[in-house]
Amino acid sequence: MSYSPIDISAGRRRVALAATASLMALVAATPAFAQGSAAAEASDADIVVTGIRGSLQRNLDIKRESSGVVDVISAEDIGKFPDSNVAASLQRLPGVSIQRNGSRGEPQGISVRGFGGDFNETLVDGRRISTASGGRSVDFTTVGADFVGQLAVYKTPELSLSSSSIGATLNISYPKPFDKPGTRVAMSASGSVQDESGKVVPTVGGLFSTTFADDTMGILVDAIYTRRDTQTNRVYVSGWQGGRFAPCQLAGAAPGPCAPTDSATAAASQRRSVVGWYQQQYGADQRYTKDERIDGRIAFQWQPSDDILLTIDDNYSRQKVTTDIDGFGVWFNQGDMRNVTLDSNGTTTDFLQAGTPTDFTAGTDKNILETNQVGLNLKWDATENLTFDADASYSKSRLNPDGQVSSEGADIGYGGLLGTNLGVRVTGDSKNAFPEFTTYGPAGNQARWTDQSIIGSHVTVRTAQKNSDEIKQFRLGATWKQDDLTIKVGGRYMEDEFSLQNRNTFANNYWQAYAGYGAPSGRTTGVPIPASLIQGTISTKGWIPGFSGSLPPVLLNYDARAYSSYLESLWVGPNTPGYNAGCCTGFNGTIDLALDPGSVQNILEKSWSAWISASFNTEIAGMPFKVNAGGREESTKIISAGIGRLPTSIVGSTADPTLLTIAFTPEQPVSTSSSYSYFLPAIDMKLEITDNFHVRFDASRTLTRPGLNTLTPVLNVGSGQRVGALTATGGNPALKPYLAENFDFGAEWYYQRNSYASVNFFIKNVSNFIVAGTERATINGVIDPSTGQPAQFTVSRRVNGPDATVRGVELAWQHVFGDSGFGFNANATFVETNKPYDETDLSTSGFAVTGLANSANLVAFYDKNGFEFRTALNWRDKYLSQFGQAQNNSAFGAEPTFVNSALQIDLSTNIRLTDQFSVFGEALNVTNETQSTHGRFSNQLLDVYAYGRRFTAGVRYRF
């Protein structure tokens, strides 16, 4: 098969999959593997190897021949990629690790050398693809891997593709009809089951490719339907907020009144002076997710002469993810906590809060992401030495294209007279323990935890998120080749327009229409919930495997939309019993959505690029020496538009003392523009000390542009807020890109066929880091009714800030044990920075490099006589994922989110029964690992997801 996206030579050579273990193990093993390697190469020279070994050899060949640092994963056969998810395959490469979607357990994003998300540019056949998710990174759960031909990860820039990634440039290459002339058919069908969901769901796909008209024309068509069902248990703390307690709030304080204040004239026992972190909200839920994806592709090629090749293709994908959620949640305010116990780090490990309400939550999230890319490519060999390459494409991605409601949320429960003197105790580390209630139930009666006779309505949250991302791009390049000299020149124009808007029930305050819980809680607002709305209960026994901690015995199961419909059916006018009169201007009984003006963004980014590079082969002391050097100029203009407004007043709720409503000035359109331009040089050098031992040196300058969703020109203050948690977010359209000076030094030893070992050292000096800092600030002088003082908002803004250096080493080792069929590839990456996170830094602009983690991967396999078996172990150490948590109201800036270390083991097998027919199986997460995160300190659990194991079995047919 020939699916290469890299045109290194006329023969289109291949790039390699690096795999490492440890340098000491490599050195220790050197004599054993060196002995007889020449004989092994000679004996295998004429053998054509397919399957796993054939794929690894193709990858190795490309890595060996490339002038820069490139790693590749190739399809083992048409319609047979190593994994069902692109990101899952990429984590096998040195320096590449994954981020998982907690609810589904699916690999969703990648980090390369510690740089994740927006730091890595993803291309399809050399073109950037649009993504309506809100940033520049691609959600890899939307990219079907079944008919991918090859993945190439450029860790040093390929100037003719891009220099717009500090981490790496990933190029996904799909097969074309001329890759192998003739007629080819591949079909696959499988069923998969996640052990918790217990439902077998299908994946069915097919590919057809043929050439005709004397092989001057060809067409390839493929389509696949994929479904994954996942049931996940979760325990969460939505945010650990930093602040200061008054001494009177602490355990052991003298009896008497306690009124925490910031007043310098108050008694010492009442002044907030003790630093501590507390849980803003605690809860648990169960999520059932149905993920359906359709991928389709058509490619047409025409070669009217030996000198001209025209390719037209269209790639389409549509993913629909529906998640049903049932759980509970309780809300806390720092000033209301008493009998507080703090550990040595200031984490609240025990407390009581009087009158705490309890909410039983339900929701349905339904999001549709649709992407289509159309492209045209023309290659013309104008002369024996000169080749032109012209490429144009249009891509559009839409999130919820019909503007449908994307999230239905509901809270029911009890409070007021039934509020609980409730506490949550932290009993251990976030990697093996979750917090637990010390008391719960109405007025502390645990036996009545889910007593339906006292449960009333609270809030109804409905949102409709609608995004679109539209990219137009054109590229023209020319290549001159003569003897050992190659010169490339070219240019690219790209226009990227990103639009975002959100409609919700916060904008019109309709979320509070029936808040209050009703008469059993002593409230005149809110209505009892009829038993017919409750569909049953969910047991919490054995909730999170491997974790200590206890939960109340059951959760309530009900449908959020049915709840909203019931409330809408009650309306008889403004005097409707239970209606929260005065909350909602214009309310007529229907819980409608309204546009949130602060969410509206329209970002237009235009960029122009021009590049030139030259590569030549020469010798140094008789050793082949290859040099590739050049530069790329990048110029960008950004036009950012939004809708601005300021708060004019804040009003508390009579139905629920935790709820607040904000009024605003009239809306005004806001627009601004900015621009920047940078020259990005690069040089790659490779010296072949022997035929099998190569050393490399690479230096480059690269950039990463700010996320499009960070460039809004307005300050957004949400309409619906809660006491003690006033927030505002601001964008910055003048943000400059991250810039990195990169250096690589590596050595590679290709000691026998299909085997090699390598070590690569890298340094990245990054400037213009974008810091998502927060500060406490007043806005427009509005008064907080809960304090009577000017309202203190936690304002999150992004600015260009400090510099940092990231350095590390990648070790790789790939070995096949002769003709035994056994082999492995392994890798390990160790990274560090001069700006690590300092948990003792309480400044509101604390900074650290995110995403850095040591990682290691091992794939051991057997591949012979039509039988393949593969075991994959993937480990990633703890790392700082981001600054910011689900509730981000800390007095000490954006609180961090850490992801705990994780090890996952996957198994797969394939048995070829005939040349055309094979059966396969896969077992993912066989040890039933979980995913957990924590805040500033390791016992500040934020989330733990138990997403279970998944098993797949299927058949493939090809000819």
Side-chain angles (χ1 to χ4, degrees):
M1 300 298 162
S2 178
Y3 302 158
S4 173
I6 310 168
D7 192 8
I8 298 175
S9 68
R12 291 191 180 182
R13 308 166 199 162
R14 303 269 169 217
V15 184
L17 166 65
T20 27
S22 116
L23 189 57
M24 291 182 64
L26 178 92
V27 173
T30 297
F33 293 131
Q35 186 174 2
S37 64
E41 287 188 11
S43 63
D44 291 347
D46 298 322
I47 296 176
V48 178
V49 183
T50 59
I52 297 173
R53 290 183 292 162
S55 171
L56 294 179
Q57 184 64 52
R58 290 192 296 272
N59 302 340
L60 182 152
D61 291 342
I62 300 176
K63 182 179 187 69
R64 183 171 185 165
E65 295 299 325
S66 175
S67 58
V69 181
V70 186
D71 291 310
V72 170
I73 299 176
S74 299
E76 295 164 18
D77 205 340
I78 185 171
K80 186 175 181 295
F81 207 68
D83 298 278
S84 58
N85 181 288
V86 168
S89 286
L90 288 169
Q91 70 177 327
R92 319 287 189 226
L93 299 176
V96 181
S97 50
I98 62 171
Q99 293 89 46
R100 294 187 180 275
N101 178 287
S103 293
R104 291 175 276 162
E106 294 279 345
Q108 185 172 20
I110 64 168
S111 291
V112 182
R113 296 176 168 181
F115 290 89
D118 291 353
F119 287 99
N120 302 302
E121 184 171 33
T122 300
L123 310 176
V124 171
D125 289 328
R127 305 161 182 153
R128 212 176 91 197
I129 57 176
S130 55
T131 171
S133 58
R136 297 184 187 274
S137 59
V138 171
D139 180 349
F140 287 101
T141 68
T142 69
V143 182
D146 299 81
F147 296 126
V148 168
Q150 190 181 83
L151 303 175
V153 178
Y154 296 84
K155 298 176 183 175
T156 57
E158 169 57 48
L159 293 175
S160 60
L161 278 179
S162 175
S163 293
S164 300
S165 52
I166 290 176
T169 298
L170 166 64
N171 193 28
I172 303 172
S173 179
Y174 288 110
K176 311 289 192 304
F178 282 175
D179 288 346
K180 186 176 181 181
T183 298
R184 296 177 291 157
V185 174
M187 294 180 289
S188 65
S190 65
S192 70
V193 59
Q194 187 244 9
D195 53 359
E196 296 298 326
S197 73
K199 183 179 291 186
V200 178
V201 293
T203 294
V204 181
L207 179 148
F208 172 78
S209 176
T210 189
T211 56
F212 52 93
D214 294 327
D215 288 341
T216 62
M217 292 186 180
I219 189 167
L220 183 149
V221 180
D222 67 55
I224 190 162
Y225 167 81
T226 305
R227 177 171 166 180
R228 296 281 189 270
D229 281 24
T230 308
Q231 181 173 289
T232 302
N233 295 336
R234 175 191 182 213
V235 176
Y236 68 90
V237 174
S238 62
W240 284 88
Q241 313 305 334
R244 289 177 168 81
F245 290 96
C248 64
Q249 295 179 261
L250 304 182
C258 185
T261 179
D262 292 322
S263 172
T265 60
S269 63
Q270 311 295 308
R271 290 201 300 270
R272 296 188 177 101
S273 57
V274 181
V275 171
W277 285 263
Y278 68 98
Q279 303 173 45
Q280 185 78 82
Q281 187 179 28
Y282 174 72
D285 60 49
Q286 184 173 91
R287 298 164 172 243
Y288 192 100
T289 301
K290 182 170 72 172
D291 180 355
E292 296 179 283
R293 193 182 68 240
I294 297 173
D295 297 288
R297 184 169 178 273
I298 184 169
F300 170 78
Q301 288 187 298
W302 178 38
Q303 191 165 23
S305 69
D306 291 341
D307 302 328
I308 296 176
L309 175 60
L310 175 70
T311 303
I312 303 173
D313 55 15
D314 188 343
N315 302 318
Y316 173 82
S317 70
R318 185 179 190 271
Q319 183 187 44
K320 180 180 179 181
V321 179
T322 304
T323 303
D324 294 314
I325 308 168
D326 290 290
F328 74 84
V330 289
W331 182 269
F332 303 109
N333 295 309
Q334 186 177 29
D336 294 334
M337 293 180 174
R338 299 294 183 269
N339 203 33
V340 174
T341 300
L342 303 176
D343 68 8
S344 59
N345 290 322
T347 299
T348 298
T349 58
D350 203 355
F351 68 93
L352 286 176
Q353 177 174 281
T356 306
T358 297
D359 285 330
F360 297 98
T361 59
T364 296
D365 295 337
K366 185 180 296 183
N367 287 286
I368 296 172
L369 185 63
E370 187 175 67
T371 302
N372 194 66
Q373 183 180 65
V374 180
L376 182 149
N377 182 270
L378 179 64
K379 289 184 171 65
W380 175 35
D381 295 332
T383 70
E384 183 179 352
N385 305 107
L386 181 62
T387 300
F388 290 98
D389 187 332
D391 191 275
S393 67
Y394 171 80
S395 177
K396 186 165 186 177
S397 179
R398 300 185 296 170
L399 179 66
N400 302 319
D402 297 327
Q404 65 269 24
V405 174
S406 54
S407 180
E408 300 270 6
D411 288 5
I412 61 176
Y414 43 80
L417 298 178
L418 299 176
T420 309
N421 290 329
L422 194 147
V424 177
R425 179 177 295 148
V426 174
T427 61
D429 194 271
S430 60
K431 63 184 179 183
N432 52 31
F434 57 79
E436 58 186 22
F437 283 145
T438 54
T439 60
Y440 62 86
N445 187 344
Q446 297 182 13
R448 300 184 70 193
W449 163 248
T450 55
D451 184 347
Q452 295 181 28
S453 68
I454 60 172
I455 293 176
S457 64
H458 194 36
V459 298
T460 303
V461 178
R462 308 180 69 203
T463 63
Q465 184 67 53
K466 184 177 181 181
N467 299 354
S468 69
D469 184 27
E470 186 176 18
I471 295 179
K472 304 169 187 174
Q473 53 193 320
F474 176 75
R475 184 181 74 244
L476 178 63
T479 302
W480 174 273
K481 292 184 179 181
Q482 186 170 14
D483 300 326
D484 290 329
L485 175 65
T486 300
I487 298 175
K488 294 182 180 181
V489 296
R492 184 189 71 174
Y493 170 75
M494 183 159 58
E495 187 174 294
D496 189 351
E497 184 170 8
F498 175 73
S499 298
L500 179 153
Q501 68 172 36
N502 182 284
R503 295 181 298 116
N504 55 56
T505 53
F506 293 112
N508 52 19
N509 216 38
Y510 287 8
W511 70 308
Q512 298 184 38
Y514 289 92
Y517 305 117
S521 293
R523 301 273 176 76
T524 58
T525 59
V527 296
I529 299 300
S532 60
L533 284 181
I534 307 300
Q535 300 170 351
T537 60
I538 299 169
S539 172
T540 61
K541 185 177 180 180
W543 197 246
I544 306 291
F547 272 65
S548 64
S550 62
L551 295 169
V554 295
L555 309 177
L556 288 181
N557 174 229
Y558 67 100
D559 181 82
R561 183 56 190 145
Y563 163 74
S564 297
S565 297
Y566 170 71
L567 295 181
E568 291 174 331
S569 71
L570 302 177
W571 185 252
V572 293
N575 295 322
T576 299
Y579 170 56
N580 182 14
C583 76
C584 322
T585 303
F587 185 75
N588 62 0
T590 304
I591 304 177
D592 295 324
L593 292 77
L595 178 65
D596 180 358
S599 74
V600 176
Q601 296 183 38
N602 190 273
I603 313 295
L604 177 61
E605 181 181 84
K606 298 180 180 180
S607 60
W608 298 261
S609 307
W611 68 84
I612 183 171
S613 67
S615 62
F616 62 89
N617 299 324
T618 184
E619 290 186 352
I620 296 179
M623 296 178 290
F625 182 55
K626 184 173 184 178
V627 179
N628 182 34
R632 185 177 177 109
E633 180 75 15
E634 291 273 358
S635 297
T636 302
K637 181 177 181 180
I638 298 168
I639 301 173
S640 176
I643 298 176
R645 59 180 185 172
L646 292 173
T648 57
S649 65
I650 304 176
V651 179
S653 171
T654 57
D656 185 334
T658 71
L659 305 181
L660 298 172
T661 301
I662 300 182
F664 295 93
T665 60
E667 301 164 8
Q668 292 185 336
V670 179
S671 180
T672 187
S673 64
S674 62
S675 61
Y676 52 81
S677 183
Y678 294 95
F679 179 67
L680 307 171
I683 184 170
D684 305 311
M685 294 181 287
K686 184 180 73 167
L687 179 65
E688 298 181 11
I689 296 177
T690 69
D691 288 344
N692 297 326
F693 185 71
H694 303 172
V695 294
R696 300 177 185 272
F697 174 76
D698 309 89
S700 63
R701 190 186 200 197
T702 55
L703 62 79
T704 287
R705 293 180 172 87
L708 291 170
N709 58 341
T710 68
L711 301 175
T712 176
V714 301
L715 178 68
N716 181 24
V717 178
S719 304
Q721 308 237 11
R722 305 193 85 160
V723 171
L726 292 170
T727 62
T729 59
N732 184 352
L735 287 173
K736 299 299 182 184
Y738 304 83
L739 290 174
E741 309 290 342
N742 313 290
F743 304 93
D744 280 74
F745 177 77
E748 300 158 2
W749 179 33
Y750 301 91
Y751 56 87
Q752 69 177 34
R753 181 179 175 83
N754 216 336
S755 302
Y756 82 97
S758 70
V759 57
N760 195 90
F761 299 92
F762 61 88
I763 297 175
K764 294 178 179 290
N765 297 315
V766 186
S767 58
N768 282 353
F769 260 100
I770 296 173
V771 181
T774 64
E775 61 180 347
R776 290 289 184 93
T778 60
I779 301 177
N780 207 31
V782 294
I783 301 299
D784 184 344
S786 66
T787 65
Q789 301 295 317
Q792 293 288 323
F793 290 83
T794 301
V795 182
S796 300
R797 303 179 187 272
R798 289 177 171 83
V799 296
N800 288 111
D803 303 344
T805 297
V806 174
R807 49 190 171 263
V809 59
E810 296 171 350
L811 306 173
W813 187 7
Q814 176 176 303
H815 184 73
V816 173
F817 295 93
D819 196 37
S820 67
F822 288 99
F824 67 85
N825 60 63
N827 66 70
T829 303
F830 305 95
V831 293
E832 63 177 14
T833 177
N834 65 336
K835 295 290 179 65
Y837 181 70
D838 180 6
E839 65 270 11
T840 65
D841 182 3
L842 300 185
S843 70
T844 58
S845 58
F847 166 74
V849 179
T850 61
L852 297 184
N854 297 331
S855 61
N857 305 289
L858 169 67
V859 178
F861 62 84
Y862 176 82
D863 174 16
K864 193 173 183 180
N865 300 324
F867 177 73
E868 298 176 12
F869 183 81
R870 182 182 353 230
T871 301
L873 290 79
N874 306 109
W875 172 78
R876 187 177 188 182
D877 204 357
K878 183 185 81 170
Y879 66 96
L880 174 61
S881 173
Q882 65 183 34
F883 284 96
Q885 300 172 3
Q887 299 286 343
N888 194 52
N889 310 303
S890 176
F892 310 130
E895 290 291 324
T897 296
F898 286 91
V899 179
N900 285 321
S901 62
L903 171 68
Q904 179 159 321
I905 301 175
D906 303 327
L907 306 175
S908 64
T909 186
N910 184 80
I911 304 172
R912 177 164 290 182
L913 302 178
T914 69
D915 287 343
Q916 291 79 34
F917 186 77
S918 62
V919 297
F920 64 92
E922 185 179 63
L924 303 180
N925 192 26
V926 294
T927 55
N928 203 19
E929 297 297 319
T930 59
Q931 175 181 311
S932 59
T933 61
H934 68 79
R936 186 178 291 251
F937 302 106
S938 63
N939 62 345
Q940 294 181 354
L941 181 133
L942 291 171
D943 277 299
V944 55
Y945 293 94
Y947 50 80
R949 307 174 180 90
R950 188 180 305 279
F951 304 94
T952 301
V955 297
R956 292 190 183 95
Y957 178 79
R958 70 176 184 91
F959 69 84

